[in-house]
Amino acid sequence: MSLGPLLWLYVDSLTSRIEWHFSLKKLTHFIPAALSLLALLGVFTAPYEDVESMVLLSQVPENGLLKPLVIIVWLLLVLWVPQSIYYLVVTGVRLVRHHKRLKGFFSNTECRELNWLSWLFALVAALWGLLVVNFFVDTVFNASLVVKELLILIALLSVWILTLWGLRQKPAFDGQYLHNAPATEESETQSKKYSRSSLSKDRASEIVALIKKAIVCEELFLDSDLTLSDLAESIDTSSHLVSQVLNQHMGTTFFDYVNENRIEAAKVLLAQTTKSALDICYEVGFNARSSFYKAFKQITNTTPAQYRKMRLADALGDE
């Protein structure tokens, strides 16, 4: 019963917008696991004859504390099912929200998306599902539906992924934490986040002009590590206001706006030079070929190679 809380706290630490610290409050997640451990210790410290009778003959002695302890263990096992569902849901929701949130702060998100963690989450969800089904079938029909070797294989694969990626994964917002942020920051919607803002229309228009000047004219988008904080610092405005203007007044996100300008620059280079798509990818500010092709396809509905051919055909036609 500790696997769910451990997975949730690990995901929470990697996706938190504020610097994460373990606290006594977080220990409450482990109360069911602690109760289960205490109950099991009570069962297995009972007289040997009683434990042997229970294990081999499925007979629980009526006298002593063994029977109530066994009842507690079974109740906790039943509680394990909704507990598992709860932690699967909150962890899955957090990962989905995290992917969306990244676009508000970073122009390149490859190392911060935690895609490997999504695979780990899927494996853990599959493992939990198989265990729940197997527990139900074993309880009702006294049979085992799932091969134990399959469960062991999934568990080992999950441990391998966690060991390979988890030990070297930095928190997604490392170096970009919010300071003195309230605990509710994680769950605030956009409307709530900006509800206390006193941004006027004139000030918003001024910030829009500053953003366009910095990104388009000064070509800040060429910086592959550009962040919302960098942009805000370059125009001497708070990150909060820049984010609000991008979202509410320009109808976009920081990630999308920067990458739209990168694609526009790439289109010019594809049409006017013979540089390879990979060279252009890095020149305009992308960190990965896959990200460049994905953004290019999404914005232009074509690939870099197809776009270059179309422009070449247009140029020959004009001649």
Side-chain angles (χ1 to χ4, degrees), residues 1 4 79-90 128-129 132:
M1 299 188 78
L79 175 64
W80 171 73
V81 176
Q83 185 216 36
S84 299
I85 294 173
Y86 169 77
Y87 281 108
L88 283 175
V89 170
V90 296
W128 262 328
V132 169

Side-chain angles (χ1 to χ4, degrees), residues 17 101-109 112 172-177 211 214-215 220-235 237-240 242-243 246 253-259 262 285 287:
R17 280 291 289 122
R101 188 189 297 125
L102 286 176
K103 292 189 174 184
F105 301 93
F106 304 99
S107 60
N108 278 309
T109 60
R112 304 175 188 269
F173 289 93
D174 185 36
Q176 299 290 325
Y177 287 122
I211 291 173
I215 296 295
L220 284 188
F221 64 83
L222 296 177
D223 180 4
S224 61
D225 296 321
L226 185 68
T227 65
L228 179 70
S229 299
D230 296 332
L231 173 59
E233 185 178 352
S234 72
I235 63 175
T237 307
S238 72
S239 297
H240 183 81
V242 173
S243 177
L246 284 166
T253 64
F254 173 73
F255 176 88
D256 290 333
Y257 184 67
V258 171
N259 283 326
R262 286 172 175 166
N287 274 337

Side-chain angles (χ1 to χ4, degrees), residues 25 35 38 86 88-89 146 153 168 239 260 269 283 313:
K25 184 179 179 180
L35 291 175
L38 290 174
Y86 169 77
L88 283 175
V89 170
V146 182
L153 178 62
R168 60 184 181 183
S239 297
E260 283 169 8
L269 292 173
E283 186 173 336

Side-chain angles (χ1 to χ4, degrees), residues 111-159:
C111 297
R112 304 175 188 269
E113 290 180 341
L114 308 177
N115 289 327
W116 68 270
L117 195 53
S118 298
W119 283 104
L120 176 65
F121 171 76
L123 282 173
V124 171
L127 179 61
W128 262 328
L130 290 172
L131 286 173
V132 169
V133 171
N134 200 57
F135 173 72
F136 175 78
V137 172
D138 183 51
T139 303
V140 177
F141 302 103
N142 195 27
S144 181
L145 183 66
V146 182
V147 179
K148 290 182 180 180
E149 287 75 8
L150 177 61
L151 297 177
I152 294 173
L153 178 62
I154 296 176
L156 289 175
L157 188 58
S158 300
V159 172

Side-chain angles (χ1 to χ4, degrees), residues 75-316:
L75 288 175
L76 289 170
L77 282 174
V78 173
L79 175 64
W80 171 73
V81 176
Q83 185 216 36
S84 299
I85 294 173
Y86 169 77
Y87 281 108
L88 283 175
V89 170
V90 296
T91 303
V93 169
R94 170 60 69 83
L95 287 172
V96 171
R97 288 180 176 175
H98 171 71
H99 289 155
K100 294 180 179 179
R101 188 189 297 125
L102 286 176
K103 292 189 174 184
F105 301 93
F106 304 99
S107 60
N108 278 309
T109 60
E110 291 82 11
C111 297
R112 304 175 188 269
E113 290 180 341
L114 308 177
N115 289 327
W116 68 270
L117 195 53
S118 298
W119 283 104
L120 176 65
F121 171 76
L123 282 173
V124 171
L127 179 61
W128 262 328
L130 290 172
L131 286 173
V132 169
V133 171
N134 200 57
F135 173 72
F136 175 78
V137 172
D138 183 51
T139 303
V140 177
F141 302 103
N142 195 27
S144 181
L145 183 66
V146 182
V147 179
K148 290 182 180 180
E149 287 75 8
L150 177 61
L151 297 177
I152 294 173
L153 178 62
I154 296 176
L156 289 175
L157 188 58
S158 300
V159 172
W160 177 76
I161 292 176
L162 184 60
T163 304
L164 180 65
W165 293 97
L167 295 178
R168 60 184 181 183
Q169 178 67 60
K170 292 183 179 180
F173 289 93
D174 185 36
Q176 299 290 325
Y177 287 122
L178 290 175
H179 299 289
N180 301 319
T184 56
E185 178 68 29
E186 293 291 339
S187 59
E188 278 191 333
T189 62
Q190 181 175 305
S191 58
K192 288 182 179 180
K193 186 165 61 173
Y194 301 136
S195 62
R196 295 182 294 274
S197 175
S198 58
L199 181 65
S200 65
K201 290 184 178 180
D202 291 340
R203 177 57 177 157
S205 298
E206 180 185 345
I207 295 175
V208 168
L210 290 171
I211 291 173
K212 290 181 177 180
K213 178 184 177 184
I215 296 295
V216 180
C217 300
E218 299 175 7
E219 297 185 329
L220 284 188
F221 64 83
L222 296 177
D223 180 4
S224 61
D225 296 321
L226 185 68
T227 65
L228 179 70
S229 299
D230 296 332
L231 173 59
E233 185 178 352
S234 72
I235 63 175
D236 196 24
T237 307
S238 72
S239 297
H240 183 81
L241 287 180
V242 173
S243 177
Q244 181 179 356
V245 169
L246 284 166
N247 296 159
Q248 293 188 333
H249 297 272
M250 298 177 69
T252 186
T253 64
F254 173 73
F255 176 88
D256 290 333
Y257 184 67
V258 171
N259 283 326
E260 283 169 8
N261 282 276
R262 286 172 175 166
I263 296 302
E264 288 302 314
K267 287 163 64 178
V268 173
L269 292 173
L270 286 167
Q272 298 180 0
T273 72
T274 58
K275 294 180 179 179
S276 69
L278 185 60
D279 289 338
I280 292 173
C281 157
Y282 294 121
E283 186 173 336
V284 299
F286 285 95
N287 274 337
R289 179 180 181 274
S290 58
S291 300
F292 172 59
Y293 273 74
K294 181 180 178 181
F296 199 96
K297 180 73 173 179
Q298 186 175 19
I299 293 172
T300 67
N301 201 31
T302 187
T303 66
Q306 291 170 340
Y307 179 82
R308 172 171 272 168
K309 288 180 181 179
M310 287 190 297
R311 291 304 304 269
L312 180 59
D314 291 342
L316 293 174

